[in-house]
């Protein structure tokens, strides 16, 4: 079951009620737009998303808030598999885009476009081009970054670093944006921009990680590259039942049993061990960080970004580079205890951009603690160890280390195919393929794989925010 009680529809979305048609008759089925003919995801069968939505009155409550208008966007449909998280996500996004804040509305959407374009996410770029025009944005700006005001163009460098190598951000980058002049940013404006950038970089990870399909109205889907270059070439295409996330078979079932056994052994050893030394903990982190260099997908297909996305990108060749490579000078490891979200980042954001810090904190907490106490076909399972391993592995590939965590657990709990998927979705999501999605946890439900994507989204966002906010703090002190 969910951790907390039934969520209410996100604030500001109630106006969508009461103007759609109901499907499902008197059986209390979920309201669905009549034109919905294909799945919101190239990876997940439509039947599973609708069935999962109908199983829970909580899901129905939340999804109806959107669907009664006659349509619901594909991100919402897929996130709706986890309604408690969706409620928190939408409250945060609504505040970022539509409530009072330092930045005018059209600039918020333009920043979303800039962020999504870094990952070639034409789905989000197209969505926010439409939103930008709806709130009165200048159509000329949509010809490309070169047509936008200099103040927005000045964000390009920090956008690039936040998207691909956030550990390179320094107080000098913050200082350059805040220096006096006609194109300078205020501190409050910059903090809102940093939150928007990290929000949309991470949301791009979710779009590619879950294979979100283009909306029907996005030129019939034609102006958006399908999220995955291999969207039809995977074994999951044959998975007509839609119950599992990548087919079944004895091997897949064996994977589940092995994971259960490893979790049990780790829990037992934690009770018996007197503790690992700090030196050993540090060594295990460095080993995991070094090993993550070798975790790379083998079936990447190069694709050319479309011009409607490339025009918002400067230096398109700049991308994620492994945090440390042999023979290169590596930046120092970010010790999580030196600058934490709870003690530092949260209070800084709340001071400069009230309310959003509280909502971000709630969103991080919801996803970190979200559990149904199930793993594949097993019920009554404590999954906290597994969730923590996924979260900490994402932070590890961005160079963040927790002193009190034994990174040996990551190797025990995360199989190689899952590590490949996590690293791809978190670091270069545009390279995600359907094959990667189906290769890990083959006997797990699709909703469990979406759950992983929610953990990835939030862990990635928090990691980038910590680097950015640390630079702001250093600038201020």
């Amino acid at each position: 079951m969910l951790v907390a009680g039934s969520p209410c529809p996100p604030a500001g979305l109630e106006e969508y009620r009461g103007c759609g048609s109901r499907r499902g008759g008197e059986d209390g089925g979920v309201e669905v737009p009549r034109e919905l003919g294909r799945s919101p995801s190239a990876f997940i069968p439509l039947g599973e998303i609708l069935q999962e939505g109908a199983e829970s009155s909580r899901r129905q409550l939340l999804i109806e808030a959107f669907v009664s208008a006659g349509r619901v966007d594909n991100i919402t449909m897929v996130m709706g598999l986890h309604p408690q998280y969706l409620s928190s996500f939408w409250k945060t996004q609504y505040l970022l885009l539509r409530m009072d804040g330092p930045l005018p509305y059209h600039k918020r959407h333009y920043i979303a476009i800039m962020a999504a374009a870094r990952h070639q996410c034409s789905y989000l770029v197209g969505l926010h081009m439409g939103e930008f025009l709806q709130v009165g944005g200048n159509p000329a700006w949509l010809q490309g970054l070169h047509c936008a005001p200099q103040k927005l163009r000045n964000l390009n460098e920090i956008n690039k670093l936040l998207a691909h190598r956030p550990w390179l951000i320094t107080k000098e980058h913050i200082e350059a944006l805040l220096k006096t002049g006609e194109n300078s940013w205020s501190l409050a404006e910059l903090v809102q921009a940093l939150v928007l950038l990290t929000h949309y970089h991470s949301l791009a990870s979710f779009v590619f990680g879950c294979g979100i399909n283009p909306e029907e109205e996005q030129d019939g889907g034609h102006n958006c590259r399908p999220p995955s270059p291999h969207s039809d070439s995977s074994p999951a295409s044959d998975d007509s039942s839609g119950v599992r996330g990548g087919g079944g078979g004895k091997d897949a079932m064996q994977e589940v049993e092995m994971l259960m056994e490893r979790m049990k052994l780790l829990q037992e050893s934690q009770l018996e061990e007197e503790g690992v030394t700090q030196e050993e903990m540090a060594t295990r982190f460095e080993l995991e960080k070094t090993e993550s260099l070798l975790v790379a997908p083998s079936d990447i297909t190069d694709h050319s970004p479309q011009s409607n996305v490339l025009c918002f990108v400067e230096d398109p060749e700049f991308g994620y580079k492994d945090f440390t490579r042999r023979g290169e000078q590596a930046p120092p490891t970010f010790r999580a205890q030196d600058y934490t979200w709870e003690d530092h980042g949260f209070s800084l954001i709340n001071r400069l951009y009230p309310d959003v810090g509280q909502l971000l904190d709630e969103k991080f907490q919801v996803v970190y603690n979200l559990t149904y106490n199930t793993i594949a076909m097993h019920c009554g399972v404590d999954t906290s160890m597994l969730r923590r391993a996924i979260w900490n592995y994402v932070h590890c590939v961005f160079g963040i280390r927790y002193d009190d965590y034994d990174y040996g657990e990551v190797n025990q709990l995360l199989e190689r195919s899952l590590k490949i998927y996590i690293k791809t979705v978190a670091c270069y999501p545009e390279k995600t393929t359907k094959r990667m999605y189906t290769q890990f946890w083959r006997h797990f439900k699709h909703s469990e794989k979406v759950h992983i994507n929610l953990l990835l989204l939030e862990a990635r966002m928090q990691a980038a925010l910590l680097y950015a906010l640390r630079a702001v703090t250093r600038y201020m002190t």
Side-chain angles (χ1 to χ4, degrees):
M1 294 297 293
L2 294 172
V3 172
S6 187
C8 296
L13 293 163
E14 293 84 348
E15 64 267 26
Y16 287 144
R17 285 194 175 279
C19 50
S21 57
R22 189 169 192 72
R23 262 172 134 181
E26 297 180 7
D27 61 357
V30 177
E31 295 188 20
V32 180
R34 293 191 184 280
E35 67 272 23
L36 187 64
R38 63 170 177 175
S39 178
S41 162
F43 299 169
I44 308 170
L46 175 62
E48 168 133 344
I49 292 171
L50 298 182
Q51 181 187 357
E52 288 273 353
E55 277 172 13
S56 160
S57 58
R58 292 170 179 167
R59 294 190 176 111
Q60 186 172 327
L61 178 69
L62 206 58
I63 291 174
E64 279 183 359
F66 303 91
V67 179
S68 53
R71 73 174 280 278
V72 55
D73 72 47
N74 291 340
I75 289 176
T76 303
M77 285 292 284
V78 176
M79 276 188 186
L81 294 171
H82 300 281
Q84 186 191 2
Y85 172 81
L86 177 61
S87 173
S88 184
F89 173 87
W90 270 106
K91 278 189 281 186
T92 308
Q93 185 165 273
Y94 191 82
L95 179 69
L96 283 174
L97 294 176
R98 311 202 187 281
M99 300 291 279
D100 288 346
L103 290 170
Y105 299 122
H106 66 292
K107 286 188 178 176
R108 301 181 198 187
H109 289 292
Y110 201 83
I111 290 167
I113 292 168
M114 289 174 66
R118 281 299 335 168
H119 285 307
Q120 304 162 26
C121 187
S122 49
Y123 174 92
L124 289 173
V125 169
L127 214 60
H128 285 279
M129 285 171 76
E131 293 272 1
F132 173 80
L133 294 173
Q134 274 191 339
V135 296
N138 182 346
W141 296 11
L142 298 182
Q143 292 172 34
L145 201 53
H146 62 287
C147 295
Q150 188 62 46
K151 180 173 175 175
L152 280 171
R153 290 167 65 187
N154 288 348
L155 270 185
N156 179 62
E157 184 67 15
I158 209 156
N159 177 29
K160 187 173 81 172
L161 295 177
L162 273 174
H164 307 296
R165 304 178 206 171
W167 54 87
L168 296 179
I169 294 173
T170 65
K171 68 175 185 178
E172 283 73 29
H173 291 108
I174 305 300
E175 197 171 9
L177 289 163
L178 297 175
K179 67 183 179 190
T180 51
E182 58 177 319
N183 297 315
S184 68
W185 290 75
S186 73
L187 201 49
E189 285 176 329
L190 182 55
V191 166
Q192 185 177 18
L194 293 172
V195 175
L196 280 164
L197 290 170
T198 54
H199 178 84
Y200 281 99
H201 294 151
S202 304
L203 192 54
S205 281
F206 183 84
V207 167
F208 286 112
C210 292
I212 301 295
N213 273 322
E215 301 295 332
E216 295 290 342
E217 68 270 22
Q218 289 181 314
D219 278 359
H222 296 307
N223 78 342
C224 290
R225 183 179 67 79
S228 164
H230 293 319
S231 58
D232 297 317
S233 65
S234 141
S237 305
D238 305 321
D239 179 17
S240 56
S241 69
V243 176
R244 302 294 166 201
K250 285 184 181 175
D251 286 351
M253 287 187 73
Q254 223 172 348
E255 286 172 6
V256 178
E257 299 310 323
M258 282 172 63
L259 178 59
M260 292 287 291
E261 185 61 27
R262 284 175 178 171
M263 286 172 65
K264 185 182 169 190
L265 288 171
L266 279 170
Q267 282 160 353
E268 287 170 358
S269 67
Q270 280 179 355
L271 293 172
E272 293 166 10
E273 271 185 22
E274 290 184 9
V276 185
T277 65
Q278 280 299 313
E279 289 77 16
E280 179 60 22
M281 291 277 218
T283 302
R284 289 180 186 181
F285 171 78
E286 294 303 328
L287 277 172
E288 191 56 55
K289 198 170 71 169
T290 305
E291 193 204 90
S292 76
L293 308 182
L294 309 173
V295 174
S298 57
D299 58 347
I300 286 177
T301 302
D302 284 334
H303 58 266
S304 303
Q306 296 187 349
S307 56
N308 70 325
V309 172
L310 259 186
C311 64
F312 298 109
V313 178
E314 288 177 10
D315 195 5
E317 300 305 312
F318 189 91
Y320 174 86
K321 190 176 185 182
D322 284 300
F323 187 75
T324 172
R325 284 190 176 279
R326 292 180 187 83
E328 288 186 13
Q329 182 62 43
T333 292
F334 185 133
R335 291 177 69 253
Q337 281 73 6
D338 293 343
Y339 195 91
T340 67
W341 166 255
E342 293 79 10
D343 297 335
H344 306 95
F346 172 69
S347 56
L348 178 64
I349 285 192
N350 254 8
R351 199 160 74 243
L352 296 169
Y353 188 14
D355 298 332
V356 82
Q358 195 65 47
L359 287 175
L360 286 172
D361 189 59
E362 178 192 310
K363 191 159 61 85
F364 294 147
Q365 292 289 335
V366 165
V367 81
Y368 194 81
N369 295 313
L370 184 65
T371 182
Y372 306 90
N373 297 117
T374 60
I375 281 188
M377 61 291 218
H378 295 279
C379 299
V381 183
D382 179 359
T383 61
S384 55
M385 180 180 280
L386 185 57
R387 284 179 279 124
R388 190 178 184 195
I390 292 166
W391 184 278
N392 286 0
Y393 184 64
V394 175
H395 279 197
C396 174
V397 297
F398 285 106
I400 297 175
R401 175 190 162 219
Y402 293 86
D403 287 351
D404 61 348
Y405 183 69
D406 179 1
Y407 286 85
E409 288 185 17
V410 169
N411 263 344
Q412 291 290 311
L413 298 174
L414 308 186
E415 62 189 43
R416 182 173 173 78
S417 57
L418 175 53
K419 282 184 172 181
I420 288 172
Y421 179 79
I422 289 173
K423 187 175 177 187
T424 304
V425 174
C427 301
Y428 23 79
E430 62 279 7
K431 296 178 179 178
T432 309
T433 66
K434 187 170 185 178
R435 181 171 297 281
M436 288 177 207
Y437 176 89
T438 56
Q439 285 302 304
F440 78 92
W441 283 10
R442 290 172 296 165
H443 208 68
F444 285 64
K445 292 179 183 177
H446 287 289
S447 59
E448 291 173 307
K449 294 193 171 192
V450 173
H451 191 169
I452 282 192
N453 274 278
L454 299 180
L455 279 165
L456 285 178
L457 185 164
E458 295 301 340
R460 179 190 173 176
M461 180 174 184
Q462 191 183 89
L465 262 183
L466 284 172
Y467 279 112
L469 295 175
R470 183 180 67 169
V472 172
T473 299
R474 287 177 174 173
Y475 164 79
M476 292 170 71
T477 51

